[in-house]
Each structure stands twice: as structure tokens, then as C-alpha cells.
Amino acid sequence: ESTPAQGKLIRLQWMLFHLLHWGGLFYEGIVHNPSEALRKFQMMLDYARRWGDIYAEAHALNCLGGRHFSTGEIVQGIQEMEQSVSLFEQLLRKFPENKDLATDLLITLNHLANAYNSLLISQRALALYKRSLNLSRQLNDKVGEMGALYGLGLSSCLSGDSKKAKEYFEQSLKLAREEEHYGWVYTD
């Protein structure tokens, strides 16, 4: 059991972690300063490792990986996202009923699959999107399922299987209509 002082320290650590996360997103999306965003995400990772917090480390690696990938540091970005997936899977084996953890894994799988698709490594992307689809269905996450189907369609298209791509895109569109959630899915 933790003492009240330890509980406050844990809350302060999480507050700092979230401030760094939001700071990184701010510098990435609003200020358009990728180097400062990278610095914030790296600080997230450093603190997570210092605290021994595997969840925070996985989250920070996903943020860093995406940022490195988008700034052209492709190999490093993919390695960080792969590490993130591995850590989230490790945590999910330990806490299989934790839906928030499963959702975080789902998001990370999609980020990584998208990275592989952009490199035209569609077979790896297909495998990741299939895992994402299975996990989405386990969670009954229709939006996640829609995104995984869309990703599978894109990966199939990139791998030259237009028939399979059409099937996945149609399934994704059908779900979008049922859920009235169109986001990235074109309806015409």
C-alpha cells in the first residue's frame, strides 16, 4: 500500500506526464515546431522509464515513434512504435480485462500499420490491421473496426488485390453508414 505522500507523488507524476503529452501535441499541431514536440515526447519517455511505468513508456514510445516517422526518421519511428506495441501487449497479457489498455493497443497498431503502408510494406500493414480488426471486434468498437477495415482495404489495394480491397472498403462504408460516423470514409 502507498502512503498519502506516495499517492500525491504518483498523481504529480501523471500530471507531469500528461502536461508533456499535451505540450508535445501543442508544438506538433498548433505551433508546428517538430523539434520541440520531439523534445516533449522524449521527456515523456525519460520520465516513464525513470518511474518504471510500462504503460507511460508504451504511450510515450507511440508518440515519439509517430513524430520521428513524420519528420523523416522512419526507421527510428517504426522501431519505437514496434516497442510500444510490444509493451502494450505485455500489459494486456497481465491485465486482459482492461479495455482502456486494449484501446491504446488498438490505436498503436493502427499508427504502426499506417506507417508501414506509407512505406509500401503492405504485407506487414495487413497483418497489423488484421490484429486491429480482431481487437476492435473483441471490444465491440465499431469505429475501430471501421478504421481497421478501411486500413485493410488500403493495404490490399497497395498489395495489388483490388477485389479484396473493394470488399474491405465496402464493409467499412457499411459500418460507417450504420454508425453514422463517416470521419475518413468517403460515401460517394
Side-chain angles (χ1 to χ4, degrees):
E1 288 203 29
S2 63
T3 66
Q6 289 171 321
K8 285 182 183 178
L9 180 61
I10 290 169
R11 285 193 298 278
L12 286 173
Q13 288 172 338
W14 268 103
M15 286 174 60
L16 176 60
F17 183 79
H18 285 289
L19 284 171
L20 289 169
H21 179 242
W22 286 108
L25 294 176
F26 173 76
Y27 280 104
E28 182 176 21
I30 306 295
V31 179
H32 304 291
N33 183 337
S35 61
E36 189 59 27
L38 272 172
R39 195 171 79 75
K40 299 291 186 210
F41 294 146
Q42 184 63 52
M43 287 173 71
M44 284 172 58
L45 180 60
D46 294 343
Y47 280 116
R49 286 180 171 162
R50 184 178 309 152
W51 300 331
D53 187 330
I54 295 172
Y55 173 78
E57 182 178 352
H59 189 64
L61 282 164
N62 187 36
C63 291
L64 258 178
R67 186 75 247 148
H68 277 124
F69 188 86
S70 67
T71 58
E73 297 175 70
I74 294 166
V75 172
Q76 184 173 356
I78 284 183
Q79 287 173 342
E80 288 163 340
M81 287 187 277
E82 289 278 7
Q83 289 174 38
S84 178
V85 166
S86 178
L87 290 174
F88 277 130
E89 289 174 332
Q90 174 186 335
L91 286 168
L92 204 50
R93 282 190 297 276
K94 190 173 181 178
F95 305 104
E97 301 301 317
N98 188 322
K99 288 191 177 201
D100 291 334
L101 193 55
T103 300
D104 288 334
L105 173 59
L106 177 67
I107 291 166
T108 306
L109 286 169
N110 288 335
H111 285 172
L112 185 56
N114 194 29
Y116 278 111
N117 261 347
S118 69
L119 295 173
L120 303 178
I121 305 173
S122 56
Q123 292 307 312
R124 178 70 177 134
L126 277 166
L128 291 164
Y129 279 126
K130 285 177 183 177
R131 288 172 57 195
S132 175
L133 180 62
N134 290 335
L135 188 54
S136 295
R137 288 178 173 162
Q138 288 172 12
L139 294 169
N140 197 30
D141 179 350
K142 298 298 183 186
V143 174
E145 184 177 348
M146 200 181 347
L149 287 165
Y150 186 83
L152 283 164
L154 182 59
S155 298
S156 296
C157 187
L158 290 171
S159 67
D161 191 345
S162 57
K163 183 179 176 188
K164 199 67 174 168
K166 183 178 184 233
E167 290 172 23
Y168 285 130
F169 285 138
E170 286 174 349
Q171 290 175 47
S172 181
L173 183 56
K174 181 180 180 220
L175 263 178
R177 288 185 177 134
E178 289 171 4
E179 298 296 313
E180 296 181 0
H181 180 93
Y182 300 103
W184 60 90
V185 180
Y186 296 101
T187 58
D188 294 332

